[in-house]
Amino acid sequence: MTLLNFPDGFIWGTASSAHQVEGGNWNNDWWLWEHIPGGVFAGGGADPSGDACDHLFRYPEDIALLADLGFNAYRFSIEWARIEPEEGLFSTQWLDHYRRMIATCRDHGLTPIVTFHHFTSPRWVHADGSWENPAVVDRFARYCERVVAHLGDVMGVVCTINEPNVVALYGYRLGMFPPGLESTAARAAATEHFIAAHRKAVDIVKAGPGNSPVGLALSMTDFQALEGGEERMARYRYKMEDVFLEACRGDDFIGVQTYTRDRIDPEGRVAPEDGVPLTLMGYEFWPQSLEATVRRAWEVTDQTPVVVTESGIGTDDDASRVDYVTQALQGVHRCLDDGIDVRGYCYWSNLDNFEWLFGYKPTFGLVAVERETQVRSAKPSAAWLGGIAKANALTV
Ligand code: BGC
């Protein structure tokens, strides 16, 4: 047996996002998307978000459970559509709600990791060009100013925007996420506006009360070029990752989130390799992606500190979750051994929750949620990972 110790102060958290867990989140573009008759979502046969995990009301027990299990941080997002339900109309009631959530984390010894934007935008933003419209940059900045003025003194760590690269690709180029565009130019515009919005949000956090470390959370993949696919892979990866990583150089941290690998040949993406098991998302079981992407983020950002803001697996076999996370953490440990400044690991996700286009089918949670009754039951992996967090060490 080997004991792999992690550095003092290492963040051990789990992650969620407002739309995926709160429930009744009807004022944003995703709710709209879920209910367009005959739309991409409706046609996919998945259940809409609905009451989700009722985390809106059950967060006290959910947060208490995370603390009991041994975690020291909780990453969640603030819903822009609640804070600013109509343009320029801000809700103190909802800002207070998130302040109570932060206080609950603090009361339980958890550092709140607060994300300002996790995939969803208010309906009024959606109705006016969403992230393709340059106006969104100042709109987002104004929302961040309100959030920071109200919560800046208590926030622990801030993620400005979650996976803007995924939203730009799926929402603006592939037509799968709202606003459902299929345009290279729209994707480029959304990318530019996300980056500008991130830069403004960083300045706002820095200028506001409190001194939370602030960074962006990026979706990354272990890109592997098959013979002859090198150029294509580099081009693809540039648009998907590098353009964002370069824009985040020198930030307090870069959030790395990864789930699998992507193999590219001269024609494009290739199908999963024979013999590699698939997860409920249809991804290759590839925990090695975490080490690969942490190393790459560190390199491309010129050694910006890394926080793993998401890593996890959608599976109905909890033992395979333990296997996946064990291998992923061993990779993180090798990065630490090589002097890479990794500051934390957040498992996606604490709860089985609304997995976007897939509805409630893929189960990523450490804690199962009974859909009809909302009853929670911790899976064995919850106590296992919480034990690692408590010990600040992984035994292999
Ligand atoms: C997102 C989460 C999502 C997870 C699993 C990430 O892309 O940030 O919202 O649930 O991956 O697919």
Side-chain angles (χ1 to χ4, degrees):
M1 277 210 310
T2 320
L3 189 67
L4 302 178
N5 288 300
F6 286 77
D8 284 349
F10 198 76
I11 295 170
W12 290 101
T14 64
S16 70
S17 87
H19 192 72
Q20 294 177 271
V21 295
E22 285 183 345
N25 209 6
W26 50 265
N27 195 28
N28 69 29
D29 54 351
W30 257 92
W31 184 283
L32 198 66
W33 193 243
E34 292 161 32
H35 295 281
I36 295 174
V40 171
F41 184 90
D47 286 336
S49 56
D51 287 344
C53 302
D54 192 27
H55 191 59
L56 193 61
F57 295 102
R58 292 172 198 249
Y59 74 84
E61 62 178 277
D62 290 335
I63 290 174
L65 175 60
L66 295 174
D68 285 349
L69 289 166
F71 293 98
N72 62 32
Y74 180 40
R75 175 173 176 238
F76 59 92
S77 77
I78 291 188
E79 184 61 46
W80 184 2
R82 295 194 197 273
I83 306 294
E84 191 179 2
E86 299 295 342
E87 178 157 24
L89 180 84
F90 288 89
S91 165
T92 307
Q93 181 185 38
W94 282 110
L95 286 164
D96 283 345
H97 166 82
Y98 290 110
R99 204 172 165 91
R100 283 192 293 272
M101 243 181 120
I102 291 173
T104 305
C105 289
R106 297 273 186 205
D107 288 348
H108 287 89
L110 301 178
T111 298
I113 305 178
V114 179
T115 303
F116 289 172
H117 185 279
H118 193 125
F119 285 9
T120 57
S121 296
R123 287 191 191 215
W124 62 265
V125 172
H126 174 83
D128 190 26
S130 216
W131 286 84
E132 195 189 9
N133 180 350
V136 74
V137 178
D138 285 336
R139 288 170 170 167
F140 182 69
R142 185 179 49 185
Y143 151 69
C144 293
E145 272 164 13
R146 287 297 182 115
V147 171
V148 172
H150 207 87
L151 307 175
D153 58 329
V154 288
M155 292 182 312
V157 175
V158 173
C159 295
T160 56
I161 303 171
N162 180 79
E163 300 191 348
N165 52 344
V166 166
V167 180
L169 177 65
Y170 282 82
Y172 296 79
R173 177 72 190 85
L174 301 178
M176 305 294 285
F177 282 13
L181 304 179
E182 296 181 50
S183 143
T184 307
R187 179 192 183 186
T191 298
E192 188 188 324
H193 301 146
F194 272 126
I195 290 173
H198 166 67
R199 297 276 25 117
K200 285 208 172 195
V202 169
D203 292 346
I204 291 163
V205 173
K206 292 284 166 202
N211 57 356
S212 307
V214 51
L216 177 137
L218 194 68
S219 169
M220 294 186 71
T221 304
D222 179 5
F223 280 108
Q224 302 179 356
L226 300 185
E227 211 186 317
E230 293 79 3
E231 219 175 279
R232 200 179 178 109
M233 188 274 272
R235 244 186 301 134
Y236 189 81
R237 189 172 61 183
Y238 184 79
K239 281 202 209 168
M240 198 59 189
E241 297 184 356
D242 300 5
V243 69
F244 291 95
L245 292 172
E246 288 171 6
C248 292
R249 283 181 184 145
D251 282 353
D252 295 331
F253 69 91
I254 175 77
V256 170
Q257 333 204 128
T258 189
Y259 291 89
T260 190
R261 67 171 175 174
D262 250 330
R263 299 180 311 139
I264 314 278
D265 76 3
E267 313 305 320
R269 274 184 164 153
V270 303
E273 193 173 354
D274 284 347
V276 178
L278 299 183
T279 71
L280 291 177
M281 295 292 284
Y283 300 158
E284 284 179 306
F285 179 96
W286 201 256
Q288 300 93 313
S289 64
L290 189 54
E291 177 174 1
T293 53
V294 166
R295 287 184 188 279
R296 191 140 197 294
W298 175 250
E299 186 189 308
V300 181
T301 58
D302 292 344
Q303 308 196 342
T304 299
V306 172
V307 177
V308 177
T309 37
E310 285 181 26
S311 151
I313 176 173
T315 179
D316 47 21
D317 171 11
D318 200 48
S320 125
R321 184 178 340 275
V322 169
D323 182 18
Y324 183 93
V325 176
T326 301
Q327 293 191 50
L329 287 175
Q330 284 176 292
V332 170
H333 203 267
R334 282 190 290 273
C335 293
L336 287 162
D337 275 348
D338 287 344
I340 298 178
D341 185 0
V342 189
R343 308 229 167 135
Y345 176 91
C346 295
Y347 179 79
W348 181 274
S349 180
N350 41 320
L351 301 171
D352 283 343
N353 62 39
F354 176 72
E355 180 48 42
W356 309 112
L357 290 176
F358 297 90
Y360 290 94
K361 287 177 212 154
T363 41
F364 280 86
L366 297 173
V367 176
V369 179
E370 162 64 47
R371 295 244 36 82
E372 293 303 310
T373 60
Q374 296 287 356
V375 167
R376 274 71 167 139
S377 41
K379 304 175 191 177
S381 57
W384 171 78
L385 189 54
I388 292 169
K390 259 188 254 178
N392 201 21
L394 166 72
T395 310
V396 278

Short mmCIF file of all heavy atoms in Angstrom, two decimals, residues 219-226 233 236-237 240-241 256-264 269 284-297 324:
data_model
loop_
_atom_site.label_atom_id
_atom_site.label_comp_id
_atom_site.label_asym_id
_atom_site.label_seq_id
_atom_site.Cartn_x
_atom_site.Cartn_y
_atom_site.Cartn_z
N SER A 219 -13.63 23.45 -19.95
CA SER A 219 -13.77 22.04 -20.31
C SER A 219 -12.55 21.64 -21.14
O SER A 219 -12.24 22.29 -22.14
CB SER A 219 -15.04 21.85 -21.14
OG SER A 219 -15.04 20.56 -21.70
N MET A 220 -11.88 20.61 -20.72
CA MET A 220 -10.70 20.16 -21.46
C MET A 220 -10.81 18.67 -21.77
O MET A 220 -11.54 17.93 -21.10
CB MET A 220 -9.42 20.45 -20.67
CG MET A 220 -9.17 21.94 -20.50
SD MET A 220 -7.59 22.30 -19.72
CE MET A 220 -6.42 21.86 -21.01
N THR A 221 -10.09 18.26 -22.78
CA THR A 221 -10.11 16.86 -23.21
C THR A 221 -8.68 16.44 -23.46
O THR A 221 -7.86 17.26 -23.89
CB THR A 221 -10.91 16.76 -24.53
OG1 THR A 221 -12.21 17.30 -24.32
CG2 THR A 221 -11.06 15.33 -24.99
N ASP A 222 -8.42 15.17 -23.20
CA ASP A 222 -7.10 14.63 -23.55
C ASP A 222 -7.13 14.38 -25.06
O ASP A 222 -7.55 13.33 -25.51
CB ASP A 222 -6.89 13.33 -22.76
CG ASP A 222 -5.56 12.68 -23.06
OD1 ASP A 222 -4.76 13.27 -23.79
OD2 ASP A 222 -5.34 11.57 -22.53
N PHE A 223 -6.72 15.40 -25.82
CA PHE A 223 -6.73 15.27 -27.28
C PHE A 223 -5.55 14.42 -27.73
O PHE A 223 -4.41 14.68 -27.34
CB PHE A 223 -6.61 16.65 -27.93
CG PHE A 223 -7.92 17.40 -27.97
CD1 PHE A 223 -8.13 18.49 -27.14
CD2 PHE A 223 -8.94 17.00 -28.82
CE1 PHE A 223 -9.33 19.18 -27.17
CE2 PHE A 223 -10.15 17.69 -28.85
CZ PHE A 223 -10.34 18.78 -28.03
N GLN A 224 -5.84 13.43 -28.52
CA GLN A 224 -4.78 12.56 -29.03
C GLN A 224 -4.88 12.52 -30.55
O GLN A 224 -5.95 12.22 -31.09
CB GLN A 224 -4.92 11.16 -28.44
CG GLN A 224 -4.88 11.18 -26.92
CD GLN A 224 -5.05 9.79 -26.31
OE1 GLN A 224 -5.28 8.82 -27.01
NE2 GLN A 224 -4.93 9.72 -24.99
N ALA A 225 -3.77 12.83 -31.23
CA ALA A 225 -3.77 12.80 -32.70
C ALA A 225 -3.38 11.40 -33.16
O ALA A 225 -2.36 10.87 -32.73
CB ALA A 225 -2.80 13.84 -33.23
N LEU A 226 -4.20 10.82 -34.02
CA LEU A 226 -3.79 9.57 -34.67
C LEU A 226 -2.96 9.97 -35.90
O LEU A 226 -2.92 11.14 -36.29
CB LEU A 226 -5.02 8.76 -35.06
CG LEU A 226 -5.91 8.37 -33.88
CD1 LEU A 226 -7.04 7.46 -34.30
CD2 LEU A 226 -5.10 7.68 -32.77
N MET A 233 -6.03 18.11 -35.23
CA MET A 233 -6.18 18.11 -33.78
C MET A 233 -5.76 19.47 -33.21
O MET A 233 -6.46 20.05 -32.40
CB MET A 233 -5.34 16.98 -33.17
CG MET A 233 -5.54 16.75 -31.71
SD MET A 233 -4.53 17.79 -30.71
CE MET A 233 -3.06 16.80 -30.59
N TYR A 236 -8.38 22.10 -33.98
CA TYR A 236 -9.58 21.87 -33.18
C TYR A 236 -9.33 22.29 -31.73
O TYR A 236 -10.13 23.00 -31.12
CB TYR A 236 -9.96 20.38 -33.26
CG TYR A 236 -11.29 20.08 -32.66
CD1 TYR A 236 -12.46 20.31 -33.38
CD2 TYR A 236 -11.39 19.59 -31.36
CE1 TYR A 236 -13.70 20.05 -32.81
CE2 TYR A 236 -12.63 19.34 -30.79
CZ TYR A 236 -13.77 19.56 -31.52
OH TYR A 236 -15.00 19.32 -30.96
N ARG A 237 -8.20 21.86 -31.22
CA ARG A 237 -7.89 22.15 -29.82
C ARG A 237 -7.67 23.65 -29.60
O ARG A 237 -7.99 24.18 -28.53
CB ARG A 237 -6.64 21.35 -29.41
CG ARG A 237 -6.36 21.41 -27.93
CD ARG A 237 -5.26 20.46 -27.52
NE ARG A 237 -4.00 20.78 -28.18
CZ ARG A 237 -2.88 20.08 -28.04
NH1 ARG A 237 -2.86 19.02 -27.27
NH2 ARG A 237 -1.78 20.42 -28.66
N MET A 240 -11.02 25.25 -29.22
CA MET A 240 -11.76 24.72 -28.07
C MET A 240 -11.09 25.11 -26.75
O MET A 240 -11.78 25.42 -25.78
CB MET A 240 -11.81 23.20 -28.22
CG MET A 240 -12.86 22.52 -27.39
SD MET A 240 -14.52 23.13 -27.76
CE MET A 240 -15.43 22.35 -26.45
N GLU A 241 -9.78 25.10 -26.71
CA GLU A 241 -9.10 25.27 -25.42
C GLU A 241 -8.09 26.42 -25.39
O GLU A 241 -8.14 27.28 -24.52
CB GLU A 241 -8.37 23.97 -25.04
CG GLU A 241 -9.31 22.80 -24.84
CD GLU A 241 -8.63 21.52 -24.37
OE1 GLU A 241 -7.38 21.49 -24.26
OE2 GLU A 241 -9.35 20.53 -24.13
N VAL A 256 -9.70 23.42 -14.26
CA VAL A 256 -9.64 22.36 -15.27
C VAL A 256 -10.79 21.38 -15.02
O VAL A 256 -11.00 20.93 -13.89
CB VAL A 256 -8.28 21.62 -15.20
CG1 VAL A 256 -8.30 20.36 -16.07
CG2 VAL A 256 -7.15 22.55 -15.65
N GLN A 257 -11.53 21.07 -16.07
CA GLN A 257 -12.63 20.10 -15.96
C GLN A 257 -12.49 19.14 -17.13
O GLN A 257 -12.39 19.56 -18.27
CB GLN A 257 -13.99 20.78 -16.03
CG GLN A 257 -13.98 22.20 -15.55
CD GLN A 257 -15.31 22.72 -15.06
OE1 GLN A 257 -15.34 23.24 -13.95
NE2 GLN A 257 -16.38 22.62 -15.80
N THR A 258 -12.50 17.87 -16.82
CA THR A 258 -12.31 16.91 -17.90
C THR A 258 -13.01 15.61 -17.58
O THR A 258 -13.19 15.25 -16.41
CB THR A 258 -10.81 16.69 -18.17
OG1 THR A 258 -10.67 15.92 -19.36
CG2 THR A 258 -10.12 15.95 -17.03
N TYR A 259 -13.40 14.90 -18.62
CA TYR A 259 -14.13 13.64 -18.44
C TYR A 259 -13.55 12.49 -19.25
O TYR A 259 -13.68 11.35 -18.89
CB TYR A 259 -15.61 13.85 -18.79
CG TYR A 259 -16.27 14.74 -17.76
CD1 TYR A 259 -16.27 16.13 -17.89
CD2 TYR A 259 -16.81 14.19 -16.60
CE1 TYR A 259 -16.82 16.95 -16.91
CE2 TYR A 259 -17.37 14.99 -15.62
CZ TYR A 259 -17.36 16.37 -15.77
OH TYR A 259 -17.88 17.17 -14.80
N THR A 260 -12.92 12.81 -20.41
CA THR A 260 -12.49 11.73 -21.28
C THR A 260 -11.40 12.21 -22.25
O THR A 260 -10.82 13.28 -22.05
CB THR A 260 -13.70 11.16 -22.04
OG1 THR A 260 -13.33 9.95 -22.72
CG2 THR A 260 -14.26 12.14 -23.06
N ARG A 261 -11.15 11.41 -23.27
CA ARG A 261 -10.20 11.81 -24.30
C ARG A 261 -10.93 11.93 -25.64
O ARG A 261 -12.07 11.48 -25.79
CB ARG A 261 -9.08 10.79 -24.43
CG ARG A 261 -9.56 9.46 -24.96
CD ARG A 261 -8.41 8.53 -25.29
NE ARG A 261 -8.92 7.21 -25.69
CZ ARG A 261 -8.17 6.22 -26.15
NH1 ARG A 261 -6.85 6.37 -26.21
NH2 ARG A 261 -8.70 5.07 -26.51
N ASP A 262 -10.26 12.52 -26.61
CA ASP A 262 -10.77 12.63 -27.98
C ASP A 262 -9.64 12.27 -28.92
O ASP A 262 -8.58 12.89 -28.87
CB ASP A 262 -11.17 14.09 -28.25
CG ASP A 262 -12.66 14.24 -28.35
OD1 ASP A 262 -13.32 13.29 -28.76
OD2 ASP A 262 -13.14 15.35 -28.01
N ARG A 263 -9.89 11.28 -29.77
CA ARG A 263 -8.85 10.91 -30.74
C ARG A 263 -9.24 11.47 -32.10
O ARG A 263 -10.39 11.37 -32.53
CB ARG A 263 -8.71 9.39 -30.78
CG ARG A 263 -8.28 8.84 -29.41
CD ARG A 263 -8.13 7.33 -29.40
NE ARG A 263 -9.26 6.68 -29.98
CZ ARG A 263 -9.18 5.62 -30.80
NH1 ARG A 263 -8.01 5.11 -31.10
NH2 ARG A 263 -10.27 5.07 -31.29
N ILE A 264 -8.26 12.09 -32.74
CA ILE A 264 -8.53 12.80 -34.00
C ILE A 264 -7.64 12.22 -35.10
O ILE A 264 -6.42 12.11 -34.91
CB ILE A 264 -8.20 14.31 -33.86
CG1 ILE A 264 -8.77 14.91 -32.56
CG2 ILE A 264 -8.64 15.08 -35.10
CD1 ILE A 264 -10.21 15.30 -32.57
N ARG A 269 -12.90 13.45 -35.57
CA ARG A 269 -12.99 12.58 -34.37
C ARG A 269 -13.21 11.14 -34.76
O ARG A 269 -14.04 10.87 -35.63
CB ARG A 269 -14.21 12.99 -33.58
CG ARG A 269 -13.96 14.10 -32.64
CD ARG A 269 -15.24 14.29 -31.88
NE ARG A 269 -15.00 15.09 -30.71
CZ ARG A 269 -15.94 15.83 -30.15
NH1 ARG A 269 -17.14 15.87 -30.66
NH2 ARG A 269 -15.67 16.52 -29.07
N GLU A 284 -15.49 7.37 -23.52
CA GLU A 284 -14.55 6.33 -23.11
C GLU A 284 -14.20 6.53 -21.63
O GLU A 284 -14.02 7.67 -21.18
CB GLU A 284 -13.26 6.44 -23.94
CG GLU A 284 -13.41 5.93 -25.36
CD GLU A 284 -12.11 6.09 -26.13
OE1 GLU A 284 -11.58 7.22 -26.18
OE2 GLU A 284 -11.63 5.11 -26.69
N PHE A 285 -14.11 5.44 -20.91
CA PHE A 285 -13.64 5.48 -19.51
C PHE A 285 -12.16 5.81 -19.60
O PHE A 285 -11.34 4.98 -19.96
CB PHE A 285 -13.86 4.09 -18.89
CG PHE A 285 -13.41 3.96 -17.46
CD1 PHE A 285 -14.31 4.12 -16.42
CD2 PHE A 285 -12.09 3.67 -17.16
CE1 PHE A 285 -13.90 3.98 -15.09
CE2 PHE A 285 -11.68 3.53 -15.83
CZ PHE A 285 -12.59 3.69 -14.81
N TRP A 286 -11.82 7.07 -19.30
CA TRP A 286 -10.45 7.51 -19.53
C TRP A 286 -9.97 8.47 -18.42
O TRP A 286 -9.81 9.68 -18.63
CB TRP A 286 -10.34 8.21 -20.91
CG TRP A 286 -8.94 8.22 -21.42
CD1 TRP A 286 -8.07 9.28 -21.43
CD2 TRP A 286 -8.20 7.12 -21.97
NE1 TRP A 286 -6.86 8.91 -21.94
CE2 TRP A 286 -6.92 7.60 -22.29
CE3 TRP A 286 -8.51 5.77 -22.21
CZ2 TRP A 286 -5.93 6.76 -22.84
CZ3 TRP A 286 -7.54 4.97 -22.77
CH2 TRP A 286 -6.27 5.46 -23.07
N PRO A 287 -9.77 7.94 -17.23
CA PRO A 287 -9.37 8.82 -16.12
C PRO A 287 -8.01 9.47 -16.33
O PRO A 287 -7.70 10.49 -15.70
CB PRO A 287 -9.34 7.87 -14.92
CG PRO A 287 -9.29 6.49 -15.47
CD PRO A 287 -9.94 6.54 -16.82
N GLN A 288 -7.23 8.91 -17.25
CA GLN A 288 -5.91 9.49 -17.57
C GLN A 288 -6.05 10.92 -18.09
O GLN A 288 -5.08 11.66 -18.13
CB GLN A 288 -5.20 8.66 -18.66
CG GLN A 288 -4.93 7.21 -18.31
CD GLN A 288 -6.04 6.28 -18.80
OE1 GLN A 288 -7.22 6.53 -18.60
NE2 GLN A 288 -5.66 5.16 -19.41
N SER A 289 -7.24 11.29 -18.53
CA SER A 289 -7.42 12.63 -19.11
C SER A 289 -7.10 13.72 -18.09
O SER A 289 -6.69 14.82 -18.45
CB SER A 289 -8.83 12.81 -19.65
OG SER A 289 -9.75 12.74 -18.59
N LEU A 290 -7.29 13.41 -16.80
CA LEU A 290 -7.07 14.50 -15.83
C LEU A 290 -5.59 14.90 -15.77
O LEU A 290 -5.26 16.09 -15.84
CB LEU A 290 -7.59 14.12 -14.44
CG LEU A 290 -7.59 15.29 -13.46
CD1 LEU A 290 -8.35 16.49 -14.00
CD2 LEU A 290 -8.17 14.89 -12.11
N GLU A 291 -4.72 13.93 -15.69
CA GLU A 291 -3.29 14.28 -15.65
C GLU A 291 -2.89 15.02 -16.93
O GLU A 291 -2.20 16.04 -16.89
CB GLU A 291 -2.45 13.00 -15.52
CG GLU A 291 -0.96 13.29 -15.54
CD GLU A 291 -0.09 12.05 -15.27
OE1 GLU A 291 -0.64 10.95 -15.08
OE2 GLU A 291 1.15 12.22 -15.24
N ALA A 292 -3.36 14.51 -18.07
CA ALA A 292 -2.97 15.12 -19.35
C ALA A 292 -3.44 16.58 -19.44
O ALA A 292 -2.69 17.46 -19.88
CB ALA A 292 -3.56 14.31 -20.49
N THR A 293 -4.67 16.84 -18.99
CA THR A 293 -5.19 18.20 -19.15
C THR A 293 -4.62 19.16 -18.10
O THR A 293 -4.41 20.33 -18.38
CB THR A 293 -6.73 18.21 -19.12
OG1 THR A 293 -7.18 17.52 -17.94
CG2 THR A 293 -7.31 17.53 -20.35
N VAL A 294 -4.37 18.65 -16.90
CA VAL A 294 -3.74 19.52 -15.89
C VAL A 294 -2.37 19.97 -16.40
O VAL A 294 -2.00 21.15 -16.34
CB VAL A 294 -3.62 18.81 -14.52
CG1 VAL A 294 -2.68 19.55 -13.59
CG2 VAL A 294 -4.99 18.64 -13.87
N ARG A 295 -1.62 19.01 -16.94
CA ARG A 295 -0.28 19.36 -17.46
C ARG A 295 -0.39 20.39 -18.59
O ARG A 295 0.37 21.33 -18.68
CB ARG A 295 0.44 18.10 -17.99
CG ARG A 295 0.91 17.19 -16.87
CD ARG A 295 1.71 16.01 -17.40
NE ARG A 295 1.97 15.06 -16.32
CZ ARG A 295 2.95 15.19 -15.41
NH1 ARG A 295 3.79 16.21 -15.48
NH2 ARG A 295 3.09 14.30 -14.45
N ARG A 296 -1.38 20.19 -19.45
CA ARG A 296 -1.49 21.08 -20.61
C ARG A 296 -1.95 22.48 -20.17
O ARG A 296 -1.47 23.49 -20.65
CB ARG A 296 -2.47 20.49 -21.61
CG ARG A 296 -2.41 21.20 -22.88
CD ARG A 296 -2.50 20.35 -24.11
NE ARG A 296 -2.01 21.17 -25.21
CZ ARG A 296 -2.63 22.25 -25.62
NH1 ARG A 296 -3.75 22.65 -25.06
NH2 ARG A 296 -2.10 22.97 -26.61
N ALA A 297 -2.90 22.53 -19.22
CA ALA A 297 -3.37 23.83 -18.75
C ALA A 297 -2.21 24.61 -18.12
O ALA A 297 -2.02 25.80 -18.37
CB ALA A 297 -4.49 23.64 -17.73
N TYR A 324 -12.37 5.10 -11.21
CA TYR A 324 -12.12 6.27 -12.06
C TYR A 324 -11.42 7.39 -11.25
O TYR A 324 -10.40 7.94 -11.66
CB TYR A 324 -13.45 6.78 -12.63
CG TYR A 324 -13.31 7.93 -13.59
CD1 TYR A 324 -13.22 7.73 -14.95
CD2 TYR A 324 -13.28 9.25 -13.12
CE1 TYR A 324 -13.10 8.79 -15.84
CE2 TYR A 324 -13.15 10.31 -13.99
CZ TYR A 324 -13.06 10.08 -15.35
OH TYR A 324 -12.93 11.15 -16.21
#
